[in-house]
C-alpha cells in the first residue's frame, strides 16, 4: 500500500514494527529480542503498549481517515497486561468500537506466536485537523 503506511518512520522504524494493511484489518507485528525485555526477560510493558497504540491508531486512520490519508492521535489509552510476552513475535490487531467523525473509540489486542493473549487495550483517538 502506498501513502502513510508504506514506509516505517520514527518509532515504528526504531522498533522494527511491521504494519500490514493487506488484510481485513491492519496488523502490527514486532520481533521481540533481548533488547526489548525487562529485568524478568519478557517484553517490556511500555513496548507492548506501543505496539497496541500503533495498531489502534492505524485502524482508526485507515477506517475513518480516508484510507490512511488522515492520521489519528491518541487522546487516552488503557492497557491490561494478561500474560508475559517472551522472545518471539508479537502481533496486534484492533477494531473500532464507535465514535464519530472526529473522535473514535478503539479496542486492541496483542498475541504471541502461539495465539496467547498478551494484552488488551482500549483507546480514544482524535482525527487530525485538515
Amino acid at each position: 500500500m502506498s501513502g502513510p503506511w508504506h514506509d516505517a518512520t520514527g518509532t515504528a522504524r526504531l522498533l522494527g514494527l511491521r504494519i500490514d494493511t493487506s488484510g481485513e484489518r491492519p496488523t502490527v507485528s514486532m520481533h521481540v529480542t533481548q533488547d526489548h525485555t525487562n529485568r524478568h526477560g519478557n517484553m517490556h510493558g511500555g513496548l507492548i503498549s506501543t505496539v497496541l497504540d500503533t495498531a489502534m491508531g492505524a485502524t482508526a486512520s485507515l477506517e475513518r481517515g480516508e484510507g490512511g490519508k488522515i492520521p489519528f492521535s491518541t487522546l487516552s489509552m488503557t492497557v491490561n497486561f494478561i500474560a508475559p510476552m517472551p522472545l518471539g513475535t508479537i502481533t496486534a490487531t484492533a477494531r473500532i468500537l464507535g465514535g464519530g467523525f472526529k473522535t473514535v473509540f478503539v479496542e486492541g489486542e496483542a498475541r504471541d506466536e502461539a495465539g496467547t493473549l498478551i494484552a488488551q487495550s482500549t483507546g480514544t483517538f482524535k482525527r487530525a485537523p485538515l
Side-chain angles (χ1 to χ4, degrees), residues 27-115:
T27 61
V28 176
S29 60
M30 175 181 160
H31 182 69
V32 181
T33 70
Q34 289 289 345
D35 292 334
H36 306 119
T37 60
N38 58 25
R39 63 184 173 159
H40 304 289
N42 296 306
M43 186 178 188
H44 189 281
L47 296 177
I48 294 170
S49 298
T50 300
V51 173
L52 283 162
D53 186 37
T54 303
M56 292 190 302
T59 297
S61 180
L62 288 165
E63 291 187 20
R64 298 280 177 94
E66 298 180 25
K69 293 178 186 171
I70 299 171
F72 277 70
S73 297
T74 310
L75 293 177
S76 67
M77 182 176 162
T78 302
V79 180
N80 297 305
F81 299 99
I82 313 298
M85 177 61 206
L87 301 180
T89 300
I90 188 169
T91 301
T93 58
R95 67 185 183 100
I96 293 179
L97 298 174
F101 181 76
K102 290 185 179 180
T103 305
V104 179
F105 304 102
V106 186
E107 175 182 66
E109 63 179 35
R111 296 183 179 272
D112 67 11
E113 294 173 57

Side-chain angles (χ1 to χ4, degrees), residues 12-33:
R13 184 177 56 240
L14 175 68
L15 295 176
L17 300 181
R18 293 177 302 279
I19 304 168
D20 182 359
T21 60
S22 64
E24 182 180 322
R25 287 190 220 162
T27 61
V28 176
S29 60
M30 175 181 160
H31 182 69
V32 181
T33 70

